[in-house]
Amino acid sequence: MLDIKLIRQNPDLVAEQLQKKKFTLNTAEFLTLDAARKQAEADSQSLQAERKQASKKIGELVKQGTPVEEAKKTVNETLAKIETQLEALKQKAQQASDALHNLMMEIPNIPDDDVPAGDDENANKEILSWGKPKKIDFEVRDHVDIGTELGGLDFDLASKLTGSRFAVMSGGMARLHRALTQFMLNTHIVDHGYSEIHVPFIVNAESLRGTGQLPKFADDLFKLEGEQNYYLIPTAEVPVTNIARDRIFEAKEFADGLHFVCHTPCFRSEAGSYGRDTRGMIRQHQFEKVELVKMVRPDQSSDELEKLTLHAEAILQQLELPYRKVILCGGDLGFSALKTYDLEVWLPGQQKYREISSCSNMGDFQARRMMARWRNPETNKPELLHTINGSGLAVGRTLVAVLENYQTADGRVEVPEVLKPYMGGISVL
């Protein structure tokens, strides 16, 4: 959530900045609601002062010769009218406040200054490329054909068990998927210094509001039926980031920030994406990710985004998978992000680079929604912290990249060198 003071002070500037995200801020509605809330509160305070004065009039009326009971009756009638007016003003102020809050919850984060302008992914700018796609001198197959022919990927069975956009993995394929997960976790814990954390795969609505999935992206979520207001997590970012909700971290425990790595399944309804990537494992309703989440001091967040992105890149480099790094333009930037780098891995089966990780700095946007704070030792006052997250990596898409980049002419798949210790000596699928 944006700082409401920022919009109050310069609504036109904020509206201009949000245009970079192709979002139109209704400044007139904001100013009207804010003014209505202020006026209702001012009127309420005026009536409270009037009530205070009215309660003193009994003695004055008695001094003027009015009988005590008559004086009480007169004053009580006045107080009753004031109470009725106060209740109406209270409801009016609450309605305006609720409407203003709902409007604020729909406003996205302001893009960073170095985010390029653009309408969609076609305007994203390449920062670097790493590795060169292998020259394959035989007919290239995609991961669906490779996995099906090896007997380790079964989409028909998954469709029978559940429906479309699911997969069943078995044998060496399932083991390779698990090996990738363990390799990612170990690398981020041992080499990059993250603390592993295990969280629930089900969260409440408040957690989703905290990270920005609700209310705007309700259609992309799987909501559970029942008495509780529960949802399946769309990413580990939600439960891990909400660790900081309604909390103040003392300066000593927050000196270097909090750095977490978490492996979870992720569940997304993919509303609005029907017809896109329906083949294979690129866009599924259930998939797994190794997520990196950082909560840091505001003066650290820019550098920490760079570090987190490098940590995700390190996985691709050790797997020797060609990739490129792009900075997202305003029109492609996520709701909560002020800056995002996408890592796109080369897929021979598609002859293109495809996203495998998004690494984003959210600034204090999520922290303000969650009231996540740290105590600044210089002022000894609580301040909003900054949140950063990124995939390190999406396990299913990494499996896709390994299958396609390590395929051989005879239909097999070589196991990347760094994964062999996790494969129990298996070097080829």
Side-chain angles (χ1 to χ4, degrees):
M1 181 184 293
L2 294 181
D3 185 351
I4 194 169
K5 295 178 183 177
L6 185 66
I7 306 179
R8 284 172 179 157
Q9 291 168 358
N10 205 329
D12 292 335
L13 176 60
V14 173
E16 181 183 343
Q17 292 172 320
L18 288 172
Q19 278 295 324
K20 202 174 191 180
K21 270 193 173 180
K22 306 305 171 186
F23 179 85
T24 301
L25 175 63
N26 191 335
T27 54
E29 181 183 9
F30 171 84
L31 293 172
T32 299
L33 289 172
D34 198 33
R37 181 192 58 80
K38 288 180 181 178
Q39 187 61 53
E41 290 178 354
D43 291 345
S44 179
Q45 290 174 0
S46 178
L47 277 173
Q48 287 173 7
E50 188 177 331
R51 179 177 61 183
K52 189 174 182 181
Q53 290 298 319
S55 62
K56 297 178 181 179
K57 286 188 176 180
I58 295 176
E60 295 176 6
L61 290 172
V62 171
K63 286 181 181 180
Q64 294 171 6
T66 304
V68 174
E69 292 303 319
E70 185 179 337
K72 286 182 178 180
K73 181 180 178 182
T74 300
V75 170
N76 286 338
E77 287 176 352
T78 300
L79 288 173
K81 290 180 181 178
I82 292 174
E83 289 297 336
T84 301
Q85 292 175 309
L86 274 173
E87 183 60 32
L89 279 173
K90 181 180 178 181
Q91 293 180 8
K92 186 177 180 181
Q94 188 62 52
Q95 289 172 355
S97 181
D98 289 346
L100 185 62
H101 176 76
N102 291 338
L103 176 63
M104 290 293 297
M105 291 289 278
E106 294 282 352
I107 300 173
N109 202 356
I110 294 173
D112 198 60
D113 289 340
D114 59 357
V115 169
D119 294 340
D120 53 37
E121 61 185 20
N122 295 315
N124 296 339
K125 290 190 176 181
E126 183 177 306
I127 304 297
L128 65 82
S129 62
W130 186 95
K132 293 184 178 180
K134 297 176 182 176
K135 291 183 179 180
I136 300 177
D137 56 4
F138 53 86
E139 185 178 352
V140 177
R141 294 160 298 145
D142 69 3
H143 69 282
V144 177
D145 291 334
I146 295 170
T148 302
E149 290 171 15
L150 289 175
L153 271 180
D154 196 328
F155 298 98
D156 291 336
L157 178 57
S159 181
K160 171 187 173 182
L161 298 176
T162 310
S164 60
R165 298 199 179 189
F166 292 90
V168 171
M169 288 177 278
S170 60
M173 194 69 63
R175 189 167 189 172
L176 183 58
H177 186 270
R178 176 162 52 89
L180 283 165
T181 303
Q182 293 303 319
F183 163 64
M184 293 176 191
L185 285 171
N186 287 352
T187 300
H188 293 311
I189 294 165
V190 177
D191 297 346
H192 303 150
Y194 290 82
S195 297
E196 184 175 7
I197 189 167
H198 189 272
V199 294
F201 305 155
I202 296 172
V203 291
N204 54 37
E206 189 61 28
S207 292
L208 290 158
R209 278 191 287 269
T211 46
Q213 280 79 14
L214 285 178
K216 189 172 180 62
F217 302 104
D219 290 343
D220 290 325
L221 302 169
F222 282 112
K223 185 176 183 180
L224 303 181
E225 293 185 357
E227 295 181 3
Q228 300 91 347
N229 197 18
Y230 286 166
Y231 296 79
L232 296 176
I233 62 169
T235 166
E237 169 200 346
V238 178
V240 177
T241 307
N242 272 274
I243 291 170
R245 175 155 50 96
D246 297 325
R247 185 170 175 181
I248 300 173
F249 294 95
E250 296 304 322
K252 187 176 181 180
E253 65 179 326
F254 206 67
D256 297 319
L258 303 173
H259 303 195
F260 295 110
V261 60
C262 185
H263 165 239
T264 66
C266 306
F267 306 90
R268 298 183 186 177
S269 71
E270 296 290 354
S273 66
Y274 293 101
R276 295 178 57 197
D277 299 318
T278 55
R279 179 175 169 83
M281 297 178 66
I282 295 298
R283 193 181 298 274
Q284 295 196 297
H285 292 309
Q286 175 185 310
F287 57 96
E288 294 182 30
K289 274 202 304 175
V290 172
E291 188 76 0
L292 306 176
V293 175
K294 295 190 177 192
M295 305 167 200
V296 300
R297 301 194 316 258
D299 62 344
Q300 296 174 323
S301 65
S302 292
D303 289 341
E304 290 298 335
L305 172 63
E306 302 298 325
K307 292 178 183 178
L308 182 145
T309 308
L310 287 174
H311 296 156
E313 290 180 64
I315 300 297
L316 290 166
Q317 291 175 10
Q318 291 187 58
L319 289 169
E320 299 184 64
L321 294 171
Y323 71 92
R324 67 174 190 163
K325 174 182 174 182
V326 301
I327 183 171
L328 299 194
C329 71
D332 200 30
L333 198 58
F335 177 79
S336 299
L338 60 85
K339 182 177 181 179
T340 296
Y341 293 119
D342 267 9
L343 302 181
E344 300 177 347
V345 68
W346 175 254
L347 296 183
Q350 295 189 18
Q351 287 293 294
K352 64 169 61 175
Y353 289 94
R354 296 301 304 266
E355 178 206 332
I356 197 167
S357 173
S358 283
C359 303
S360 303
N361 184 358
M362 310 299 187
D364 61 12
F365 187 82
Q366 292 179 328
R368 184 171 286 104
R369 296 167 79 105
M370 298 186 300
M371 287 306 294
R373 294 166 291 171
W374 71 292
R375 193 177 302 281
N376 189 330
E378 295 181 5
T379 62
N380 200 36
K381 294 181 179 179
E383 296 180 7
L384 293 172
L385 52 81
H386 281 199
T387 58
I388 304 161
N389 67 72
S391 303
L393 304 162
V395 183
R397 290 195 178 191
T398 308
L399 177 66
V400 168
V402 168
L403 293 178
E404 296 192 7
N405 282 278
Y406 282 85
Q407 62 181 296
T408 63
D410 60 2
R412 298 188 298 171
V413 175
E414 296 175 346
V415 174
E417 196 64 34
V418 292
L419 297 182
K420 289 179 180 178
Y422 300 91
M423 291 294 289
I426 298 174
S427 59
V428 177
L429 294 185

